């Protein structure tokens, strides 16, 4: 990224940020506090593809978000390891399943498969973190978390293929 800063006499300051993809952001900060943000898809273009005015508070908030004030991305290598270990999936419960018409507790899903039920979609209703006494009905879509082999075992149970 290439950054250049120049004074605009009688106006304020111009900050230009040219990206590695040859785009450019230009921020003009007026002496009055007004901020103008321009985006050029092609850094050599004379006309901005997008422009907007920002208040000083909006500019600070944007800057804070860009710095990661509320969200820090996970290291890609760590995420790959995590994704290989833990899976979240949705499985439909079929009529022929041995789990049908049982409560989560009665079904012993966790003991039988190692997977954990973290949500259930029952028609238009969504149950997040269902209680142990929640009854599993055919047609329910079960949101589950676990390792891939655990999810596969639960999927087989839900299909009646145990």
């Amino acid at each position: 990224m290439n950054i250049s800063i120049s004074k605009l006499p009688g106006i304020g300051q111009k900050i230009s940020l040219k990206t590695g993809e040859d785009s450019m952001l230009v921020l003009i900060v007026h002496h009055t506090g007004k901020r103008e943000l321009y985006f050029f898809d092609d850094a050599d273009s004379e006309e901005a593809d997008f422009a907007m005015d920002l208040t000083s508070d909006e500019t600070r908030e944007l800057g804070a978000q860009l710095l990661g004030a509320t969200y820090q991305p996970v290291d890609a290598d760590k995420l790959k390891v995590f994704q290989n270990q833990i899976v979240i999936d949705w499985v439909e419960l079929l009529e022929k399943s041995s789990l049908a018409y049982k409560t989560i507790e009665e079904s012993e899903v966790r003991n039988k498969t190692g997977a954990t039920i973290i949500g259930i979609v029952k028609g238009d209703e969504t149950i997040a973190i269902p209680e142990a006494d929640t009854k599993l009905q055919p047609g329910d879509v079960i949101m589950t978390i676990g390792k891939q082999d655990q999810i596969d075992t639960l999927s087989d149970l839900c299909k009646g293929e145990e």
Side-chain angles (χ1 to χ4, degrees), residues 91-101 136-142 154-162:
V91 182
E92 184 176 357
L93 183 66
L94 301 182
E95 177 83 33
K96 62 183 180 178
S97 171
S98 63
L99 306 178
Y101 307 106
L136 302 172
Q137 303 286 341
D140 287 354
V141 177
I142 298 171
L154 177 58
S155 182
D156 290 345
L157 276 175
C158 287
K159 293 175 187 172
E161 300 173 359
E162 51 255 44

Side-chain angles (χ1 to χ4, degrees), residues 22-145:
D22 205 35
S23 297
M24 186 166 57
L25 276 173
V26 174
L27 177 65
I28 297 177
V29 182
H30 293 254
H31 294 303
T32 62
K34 177 181 176 182
R35 277 119 166 118
E36 298 174 63
L37 182 64
Y38 298 92
F39 173 74
F40 298 81
D41 190 36
D42 178 1
D44 295 326
S45 178
E46 294 292 319
E47 191 172 322
D49 295 290
F50 176 78
M52 66 186 298
D53 292 340
L54 297 168
T55 66
S56 57
D57 287 340
E58 290 167 339
T59 306
R60 276 190 289 281
E61 181 63 29
L62 177 60
Q65 295 307 319
L66 290 171
L67 285 170
T70 61
Y71 175 74
Q72 286 292 322
V74 176
D75 179 281
D77 291 333
K78 290 179 184 172
L79 185 58
K80 286 177 188 170
V81 169
F82 180 75
Q83 287 175 335
N84 289 335
Q85 293 178 1
I86 298 176
V87 177
I88 296 175
D89 205 351
W90 290 259
V91 182
E92 184 176 357
L93 183 66
L94 301 182
E95 177 83 33
K96 62 183 180 178
S97 171
S98 63
L99 306 178
Y101 307 106
K102 291 183 179 176
T103 65
I104 293 173
E105 184 176 29
E106 292 167 341
S107 72
E108 296 186 321
V109 166
R110 182 87 167 98
N111 292 337
K112 291 179 182 177
T113 68
T116 301
I117 296 174
I118 59 173
I120 302 174
V121 178
K122 292 178 169 286
D124 293 337
E125 179 188 10
T126 301
I127 303 169
I129 318 297
E131 299 291 332
D133 63 353
T134 302
K135 190 168 278 199
L136 302 172
Q137 303 286 341
D140 287 354
V141 177
I142 298 171
M143 181 181 186
T144 183
I145 188 167

